[in-house]
Amino acid sequence: MEDPLEAFRIDGRVAIVTGASSGLGARFAEVLAAAGARVIMAARRIEQLEERVERLRAGGAEAVAVPCDVTVDADVEQLVQAALDRYGTIDILVNNAGIAPDEDEEIESPTSFRRVLEVNTTGPFLCSRAVAPVMLDRGGGSIVNMASISGLVAGDGPDTPSYTASKGAVVNLTRELAVRWAAHGVRVNAIAPGYFPSEMTADTLSTDEGRRFIAERTPMGRAGRSEELDGALLFLASDASA
């Protein structure tokens, strides 16, 4: 019998990870690199991004930093072109970039609502659209979108209409693209986490009230740990989920 873990390896494959300067995005880039991928890390905060890249390189990984705002068409096109110029192909896209509103109002402003949807929903569409020609032409590839439990149920807490709506849209965008591109060998899936450590959840996880809120609404009684998404990511990114 062949080694069943071999299917999870992604040696030599080229992976783009957006929102890779911190939190889950940085973790995802590390995990993909550890499994053998050459990683293009994208985010708006270039200094923080370059620090992450240097850490990966110091550990022997092959990683590149590319500044990118996923809501800007030209930035997304430049990101994909940078990957192609360096490696000639793209095998994996992890659409991780996302934001939560920076206002805490009972009735969210139209400006906030539009901005969150632009980053959380339009961003993954633009990135998926940009890599699709490469993956469709070669008949293979994996796109992993970061949705959220808040895209499946009401938030009932610090989540806002824009965040839950944007993540719900990511869930159905994933379904649509998966069905549209499956026959061409391109897989599109989503991970929908609950609360995990990140800049976005820092305020909630740092208070007794926030931790109590999570514990009361989570069967395991706690927030997730970053490493607990590693298996899901590698499964979806690799041939293990073919």
Side-chain angles (χ1 to χ4, degrees), residues 96-110:
N96 171 77
I99 62 170
D102 56 8
E103 63 180 41
D104 185 19
E105 303 293 338
E106 181 65 25
I107 302 176
E108 188 177 1
S109 71

PDB file of all heavy atoms in Angstrom, residues 96-110:
ATOM      1  N   ASN A  96      -8.028  34.293   1.580  1.00  0.00           N
ATOM      2  CA  ASN A  96      -8.147  34.478   3.030  1.00  0.00           C
ATOM      3  C   ASN A  96      -8.370  35.934   3.430  1.00  0.00           C
ATOM      4  O   ASN A  96      -8.877  36.189   4.520  1.00  0.00           O
ATOM      5  CB  ASN A  96      -6.880  33.950   3.714  1.00  0.00           C
ATOM      6  CG  ASN A  96      -6.834  34.304   5.164  1.00  0.00           C
ATOM      7  OD1 ASN A  96      -7.505  33.699   5.993  1.00  0.00           O
ATOM      8  ND2 ASN A  96      -6.036  35.320   5.513  1.00  0.00           N
ATOM      9  N   ALA A  97      -8.011  36.884   2.591  1.00  0.00           N
ATOM     10  CA  ALA A  97      -8.124  38.298   2.973  1.00  0.00           C
ATOM     11  C   ALA A  97      -9.554  38.639   3.367  1.00  0.00           C
ATOM     12  O   ALA A  97     -10.509  38.282   2.665  1.00  0.00           O
ATOM     13  CB  ALA A  97      -7.676  39.184   1.819  1.00  0.00           C
ATOM     14  N   GLY A  98      -9.689  39.320   4.479  1.00  0.00           N
ATOM     15  CA  GLY A  98     -11.027  39.694   4.935  1.00  0.00           C
ATOM     16  C   GLY A  98     -10.944  40.723   6.048  1.00  0.00           C
ATOM     17  O   GLY A  98      -9.917  40.877   6.705  1.00  0.00           O
ATOM     18  N   ILE A  99     -12.050  41.422   6.260  1.00  0.00           N
ATOM     19  CA  ILE A  99     -12.121  42.428   7.318  1.00  0.00           C
ATOM     20  C   ILE A  99     -13.455  42.316   8.037  1.00  0.00           C
ATOM     21  O   ILE A  99     -14.407  41.712   7.545  1.00  0.00           O
ATOM     22  CB  ILE A  99     -11.963  43.863   6.767  1.00  0.00           C
ATOM     23  CG1 ILE A  99     -13.097  44.189   5.783  1.00  0.00           C
ATOM     24  CG2 ILE A  99     -10.602  44.057   6.122  1.00  0.00           C
ATOM     25  CD1 ILE A  99     -13.152  45.658   5.375  1.00  0.00           C
ATOM     26  N   ALA A 100     -13.499  42.895   9.213  1.00  0.00           N
ATOM     27  CA  ALA A 100     -14.748  43.113   9.930  1.00  0.00           C
ATOM     28  C   ALA A 100     -14.942  44.625  10.042  1.00  0.00           C
ATOM     29  O   ALA A 100     -13.967  45.385   9.960  1.00  0.00           O
ATOM     30  CB  ALA A 100     -14.696  42.472  11.304  1.00  0.00           C
ATOM     31  N   PRO A 101     -16.154  45.095  10.231  1.00  0.00           N
ATOM     32  CA  PRO A 101     -16.375  46.538  10.338  1.00  0.00           C
ATOM     33  C   PRO A 101     -15.619  47.139  11.513  1.00  0.00           C
ATOM     34  O   PRO A 101     -15.413  46.475  12.533  1.00  0.00           O
ATOM     35  CB  PRO A 101     -17.893  46.657  10.567  1.00  0.00           C
ATOM     36  CG  PRO A 101     -18.455  45.370  10.090  1.00  0.00           C
ATOM     37  CD  PRO A 101     -17.404  44.335  10.338  1.00  0.00           C
ATOM     38  N   ASP A 102     -15.199  48.373  11.368  1.00  0.00           N
ATOM     39  CA  ASP A 102     -14.502  49.044  12.460  1.00  0.00           C
ATOM     40  C   ASP A 102     -15.443  49.953  13.234  1.00  0.00           C
ATOM     41  O   ASP A 102     -15.009  50.802  14.007  1.00  0.00           O
ATOM     42  CB  ASP A 102     -13.308  49.842  11.936  1.00  0.00           C
ATOM     43  CG  ASP A 102     -13.691  50.843  10.861  1.00  0.00           C
ATOM     44  OD1 ASP A 102     -14.911  51.027  10.633  1.00  0.00           O
ATOM     45  OD2 ASP A 102     -12.780  51.442  10.259  1.00  0.00           O
ATOM     46  N   GLU A 103     -16.752  49.775  13.025  1.00  0.00           N
ATOM     47  CA  GLU A 103     -17.721  50.535  13.796  1.00  0.00           C
ATOM     48  C   GLU A 103     -18.611  49.577  14.579  1.00  0.00           C
ATOM     49  O   GLU A 103     -18.803  48.429  14.185  1.00  0.00           O
ATOM     50  CB  GLU A 103     -18.575  51.412  12.882  1.00  0.00           C
ATOM     51  CG  GLU A 103     -19.433  50.643  11.891  1.00  0.00           C
ATOM     52  CD  GLU A 103     -20.257  51.558  10.994  1.00  0.00           C
ATOM     53  OE1 GLU A 103     -19.727  52.594  10.552  1.00  0.00           O
ATOM     54  OE2 GLU A 103     -21.435  51.231  10.735  1.00  0.00           O
ATOM     55  N   ASP A 104     -19.111  50.040  15.696  1.00  0.00           N
ATOM     56  CA  ASP A 104     -19.929  49.197  16.565  1.00  0.00           C
ATOM     57  C   ASP A 104     -21.277  49.879  16.789  1.00  0.00           C
ATOM     58  O   ASP A 104     -21.566  50.391  17.865  1.00  0.00           O
ATOM     59  CB  ASP A 104     -19.197  48.967  17.889  1.00  0.00           C
ATOM     60  CG  ASP A 104     -19.945  48.000  18.797  1.00  0.00           C
ATOM     61  OD1 ASP A 104     -20.794  47.249  18.280  1.00  0.00           O
ATOM     62  OD2 ASP A 104     -19.693  48.014  20.010  1.00  0.00           O
ATOM     63  N   GLU A 105     -22.085  49.892  15.746  1.00  0.00           N
ATOM     64  CA  GLU A 105     -23.379  50.558  15.798  1.00  0.00           C
ATOM     65  C   GLU A 105     -24.494  49.540  15.642  1.00  0.00           C
ATOM     66  O   GLU A 105     -24.345  48.534  14.951  1.00  0.00           O
ATOM     67  CB  GLU A 105     -23.486  51.610  14.681  1.00  0.00           C
ATOM     68  CG  GLU A 105     -22.393  52.665  14.691  1.00  0.00           C
ATOM     69  CD  GLU A 105     -22.476  53.582  15.901  1.00  0.00           C
ATOM     70  OE1 GLU A 105     -23.568  53.676  16.489  1.00  0.00           O
ATOM     71  OE2 GLU A 105     -21.460  54.194  16.245  1.00  0.00           O
ATOM     72  N   GLU A 106     -25.613  49.811  16.294  1.00  0.00           N
ATOM     73  CA  GLU A 106     -26.767  48.917  16.163  1.00  0.00           C
ATOM     74  C   GLU A 106     -27.230  48.844  14.715  1.00  0.00           C
ATOM     75  O   GLU A 106     -27.615  47.798  14.208  1.00  0.00           O
ATOM     76  CB  GLU A 106     -27.912  49.407  17.058  1.00  0.00           C
ATOM     77  CG  GLU A 106     -29.156  48.521  17.017  1.00  0.00           C
ATOM     78  CD  GLU A 106     -28.893  47.128  17.575  1.00  0.00           C
ATOM     79  OE1 GLU A 106     -27.964  46.976  18.392  1.00  0.00           O
ATOM     80  OE2 GLU A 106     -29.614  46.196  17.169  1.00  0.00           O
ATOM     81  N   ILE A 107     -27.184  49.983  14.031  1.00  0.00           N
ATOM     82  CA  ILE A 107     -27.536  50.039  12.611  1.00  0.00           C
ATOM     83  C   ILE A 107     -26.273  50.412  11.843  1.00  0.00           C
ATOM     84  O   ILE A 107     -25.800  51.548  11.919  1.00  0.00           O
ATOM     85  CB  ILE A 107     -28.659  51.062  12.346  1.00  0.00           C
ATOM     86  CG1 ILE A 107     -29.900  50.703  13.171  1.00  0.00           C
ATOM     87  CG2 ILE A 107     -29.000  51.092  10.859  1.00  0.00           C
ATOM     88  CD1 ILE A 107     -31.020  51.703  13.053  1.00  0.00           C
ATOM     89  N   GLU A 108     -25.736  49.454  11.129  1.00  0.00           N
ATOM     90  CA  GLU A 108     -24.472  49.662  10.421  1.00  0.00           C
ATOM     91  C   GLU A 108     -24.633  50.666   9.289  1.00  0.00           C
ATOM     92  O   GLU A 108     -25.661  50.710   8.607  1.00  0.00           O
ATOM     93  CB  GLU A 108     -23.985  48.327   9.856  1.00  0.00           C
ATOM     94  CG  GLU A 108     -22.593  48.373   9.273  1.00  0.00           C
ATOM     95  CD  GLU A 108     -22.127  47.003   8.797  1.00  0.00           C
ATOM     96  OE1 GLU A 108     -22.900  46.032   8.911  1.00  0.00           O
ATOM     97  OE2 GLU A 108     -20.991  46.908   8.322  1.00  0.00           O
ATOM     98  N   SER A 109     -23.600  51.455   9.056  1.00  0.00           N
ATOM     99  CA  SER A 109     -23.657  52.473   8.005  1.00  0.00           C
ATOM    100  C   SER A 109     -23.525  51.837   6.628  1.00  0.00           C
ATOM    101  O   SER A 109     -22.897  50.789   6.469  1.00  0.00           O
ATOM    102  CB  SER A 109     -22.542  53.498   8.198  1.00  0.00           C
ATOM    103  OG  SER A 109     -21.278  52.923   7.888  1.00  0.00           O
ATOM    104  N   PRO A 110     -24.099  52.471   5.598  1.00  0.00           N
ATOM    105  CA  PRO A 110     -23.941  51.972   4.233  1.00  0.00           C
ATOM    106  C   PRO A 110     -22.474  51.903   3.804  1.00  0.00           C
ATOM    107  O   PRO A 110     -22.072  50.987   3.090  1.00  0.00           O
ATOM    108  CB  PRO A 110     -24.717  52.990   3.392  1.00  0.00           C
ATOM    109  CG  PRO A 110     -25.717  53.579   4.323  1.00  0.00           C
ATOM    110  CD  PRO A 110     -25.025  53.620   5.658  1.00  0.00           C
TER     111      PRO A 110
END
